[in-house]
């Protein structure tokens, strides 16, 4: 197993939470993993990106054109991190639309769905992870593994996050 993921968003969107979830999933599978976080001005809503490498790697940073997957919690942050994506990589992005690129892109306007009350905006990161689980066929973890990791991080909010994850997976069936 060798899989590299870049997660990009703004401070407060839950980028670091997603890295923790995926790290727990990798650990429970017995995979080696490395991760890094770039917080920048995250306390003031600035850019936050994280790299997670699953498999036998020695450096936590993903080189340009090497990421298998880019999860963008914001369109602009996804665009800034596109150089990390490999040619046949995949993008899951919170955006109404996304420029045509040489990659498979799943754009979902999660902000608009949250505004309509489809899910609580505080769970946008979990919603986008649900879209990822539903659409990315080579994603290394199952829905059940993700749920177990979410519960392990914070059992108090697990049920709410499971609800959001399930809504995303259901929503993804129609895109």
């Amino acid at each position: 197993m060798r899989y590299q993921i870049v997660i990009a968003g703004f401070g407060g969107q839950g980028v670091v939470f997603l890295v923790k979830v995926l790290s727990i999933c990798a650990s429970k599978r017995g995979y080696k993993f490395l991760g890094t976080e770039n917080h920048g001005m995250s306390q003031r809503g600035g850019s936050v990106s994280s790299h997670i490498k699953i498999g036998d790697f020695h450096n936590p940073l993903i080189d340009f054109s090497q990421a298998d997957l880019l999860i963008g919690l914001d369109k602009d942050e996804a665009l800034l991190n596109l150089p990390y994506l490999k040619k046949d990589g995949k993008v899951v992005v919170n955006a109404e639309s996304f420029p045509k690129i040489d990659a498979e892109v799943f754009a979902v306007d999660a902000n608009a769905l949250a505004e309509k009350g489809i899910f609580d905006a505080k769970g946008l990161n979990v919603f986008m992870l649900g879209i990822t689980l539903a659409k990315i066929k080579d994603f290394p973890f199952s829905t059940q593994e993700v749920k177990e990791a979410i519960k392990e991080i914070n059992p108090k909010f697990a049920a709410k996050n499971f609800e959001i994850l399930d809504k995303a997976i259901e929503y993804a069936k129609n895109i």
Side-chain angles (χ1 to χ4, degrees):
M1 161 59 64
R2 287 177 65 88
Y3 201 83
Q4 301 183 75
I5 305 169
V6 174
I7 303 171
F10 289 122
Q13 285 189 308
V15 169
V16 175
F17 177 81
L18 292 185
V19 170
K20 289 179 182 174
V21 168
L22 298 179
S23 296
I24 290 170
C25 289
S27 176
K28 288 185 178 250
R29 276 266 185 109
Y31 295 150
K32 293 180 178 180
F33 63 95
L34 294 168
T36 185
E37 301 162 4
N38 175 4
H39 289 272
M41 294 295 288
S42 61
Q43 292 290 325
R44 297 183 181 191
S47 296
V48 177
S49 64
S50 292
H51 296 184
I52 181 163
K53 297 169 95 172
I54 301 158
D56 193 18
F57 293 99
H58 301 287
N59 179 339
L61 295 175
I62 297 173
D63 292 328
F64 285 156
S65 304
Q66 296 300 309
D68 298 282
L69 173 64
L70 168 61
I71 300 174
L73 303 182
D74 176 82
K75 179 181 178 178
D76 290 338
E77 294 303 312
L79 289 168
L80 285 173
N81 284 277
L82 270 180
Y84 292 104
L85 193 67
K86 68 183 187 182
K87 187 174 180 180
D88 59 347
K90 297 170 180 73
V91 178
V92 175
V93 60
N94 171 24
E96 184 177 350
S97 63
F98 201 75
K100 187 163 180 60
I101 60 172
D102 193 17
E104 193 172 8
V105 176
F106 300 96
V108 174
D109 192 351
N111 291 337
L113 296 172
E115 286 174 9
K116 290 178 183 175
I118 305 296
F119 68 94
D120 184 342
K122 293 177 186 171
L124 183 134
N125 57 343
V126 174
F127 190 85
M128 295 309 294
L129 185 56
I131 299 294
T132 302
L133 283 163
K135 296 309 245 183
I136 304 302
K137 301 302 177 211
D138 64 347
F139 190 68
F141 307 114
S142 69
T143 301
Q144 187 58 38
E145 290 170 318
V146 166
K147 285 183 174 180
E148 289 172 14
I150 287 171
K151 186 174 182 180
E152 189 171 317
I153 292 171
N154 192 340
K156 183 177 175 183
F157 295 106
K160 184 73 174 170
N161 281 321
F162 294 170
E163 181 183 325
I164 292 170
L165 195 73
D166 290 339
K167 282 182 180 180
I169 292 168
E170 188 63 30
Y171 181 83
K173 290 178 182 176
N174 299 317
I175 57 173

